Amino acid sequence: MLSRAVSNAHSPDLELRTASPPDAEGPPLLFVHGAYVGAWCWAEHFLPALADRGYTAHAVSLRGHGESGGRLTTAGVDDFVADLRRTVDHLDASPVLVGHSMGGVVVQRYLQQYDAPGAALMASLPPQGMAGLTAQFAGRDPALWFQFGVLQAFGPGVASPRALRRALFSDDLPTDRVADYASQVRGESPRALAELTTPIVTGRLPDDVPALVVGAGEDSIVPRWAVEATARAFDTDATFVPGVAHAMMLDTGWEQSLHALVDWLASRDLTPN
């Protein structure tokens, strides 16, 4: 797997991880991570598995995340959209965009300004933002909601790995995997989180971009109604992967999440030639 920087004299360097087979053809894929993580979450399983299937697959770390530069504390959602645009411009061909959680909102905002051959939203925050999600989350599991506040205020070293498991993973994910993933979790931009509490994507989304909207069947953060709200915004039906928690690319059922994406790509003829 190749890791390199997307560089620009006036913007922070961005980490870009790439897995590609020899003589790859067809549209590449570009993955956008959610809050608190970076490109590493896609590099664990998805990038190499897709390269084995003939795809060129990239994952970018938005500014302040992963190994990317930039000040996280001042970054807003539109800064992340600018990072995504700069990464797309850096690639040899226009990619199919895949966004998870907060990254799904970044992709939605991007599509209101720019074109793409396709977009997949995985456990994405809905266009109206996360205000309704946080209220429901806090009411259903106040202790877990408190732990996310601890994570944001004091960093991952203070947050409970047990709480992260309850929020992001299934019960059967091995403890050492949970600990490894928890060690890579970082804080998130307070500005971006504040913006996400408001209707973050307003106005029309494009009706000429093929879209997959897929949810996790056991998601503690983005419930079914929120996934369906995103699907309605794209005038499509939501798909759900049963038995998988919010971290769809890392959980024990990640292969099912991958298959949902690959099957959709095939149905839209967005496959390697």
Side-chain angles (χ1 to χ4, degrees):
M1 187 175 300
L2 175 65
S3 181
R4 63 188 190 276
V6 178
S7 299
N8 181 288
H10 306 291
S11 302
D13 285 355
L14 302 175
E15 175 191 20
L16 185 66
R17 299 197 189 192
T18 300
S20 181
D23 305 320
E25 297 182 10
L29 308 176
L30 176 57
F31 291 84
V32 187
H33 61 82
Y36 304 107
V37 293
W40 63 266
C41 72
W42 300 109
E44 179 79 1
H45 300 302
F46 265 49
L47 298 194
L50 286 161
D52 287 345
R53 288 163 170 78
Y55 293 91
T56 295
H58 309 276
V60 62
S61 288
L62 303 170
R63 67 182 67 192
H65 297 79
E67 300 300 320
S68 289
R71 294 184 60 189
L72 181 62
T73 54
T74 59
V77 173
D78 282 339
D79 294 314
F80 298 152
V81 172
D83 293 341
L84 178 54
R85 179 61 184 175
R86 188 152 56 92
T87 305
V88 169
D89 287 344
H90 179 80
L91 302 180
D92 293 333
S94 182
V96 175
L97 304 175
V98 185
H100 175 259
S101 198
M102 180 186 76
V105 165
V106 173
V107 170
Q108 291 173 53
R109 291 269 282 216
Y110 178 96
L111 291 174
Q112 290 189 308
Q113 304 174 56
Y114 309 107
D115 196 17
L121 291 306
M122 302 181 65
S124 174
L125 297 180
Q128 58 264 46
M130 64 181 188
L133 304 184
T134 54
Q136 183 178 10
F137 188 16
R140 183 178 65 250
D141 197 333
L144 186 55
W145 177 244
F146 173 77
Q147 283 295 319
F148 269 88
V150 169
L151 169 64
Q152 184 64 22
F154 302 108
V158 181
S160 163
R162 183 178 299 177
L164 290 177
R165 176 194 285 280
R166 292 214 324 271
L168 302 175
F169 305 111
S170 301
D171 291 341
D172 58 349
L173 186 69
T175 300
D176 59 341
R177 287 280 185 90
V178 175
D180 178 41
Y181 298 151
S183 72
Q184 299 181 72
V185 169
R186 298 291 182 267
E188 190 48 68
S189 163
R191 177 184 167 193
L193 291 177
E195 292 175 354
L196 290 170
T197 63
T198 66
I200 191 67
V201 180
T202 58
R204 286 182 57 83
L205 284 161
D207 55 12
D208 58 347
V209 175
L212 168 70
V213 178
V214 59
E218 303 299 326
D219 200 327
S220 296
I221 297 176
V222 180
R224 187 180 187 93
W225 67 261
V227 177
E228 291 172 341
T230 303
R232 285 194 298 273
F234 281 93
D235 194 24
T236 190
D237 295 324
T239 299
F240 290 89
V241 180
V244 178
H246 184 68
M248 301 180 71
M249 74 296 287
L250 295 171
D251 201 26
T252 46
W254 69 266
E255 295 99 333
Q256 298 178 66
S257 304
L258 181 73
H259 291 156
L261 174 62
V262 170
D263 289 348
W264 172 77
L265 290 167
S267 74
R268 294 291 181 169
D269 198 26
L270 297 168
T271 55
N273 295 328

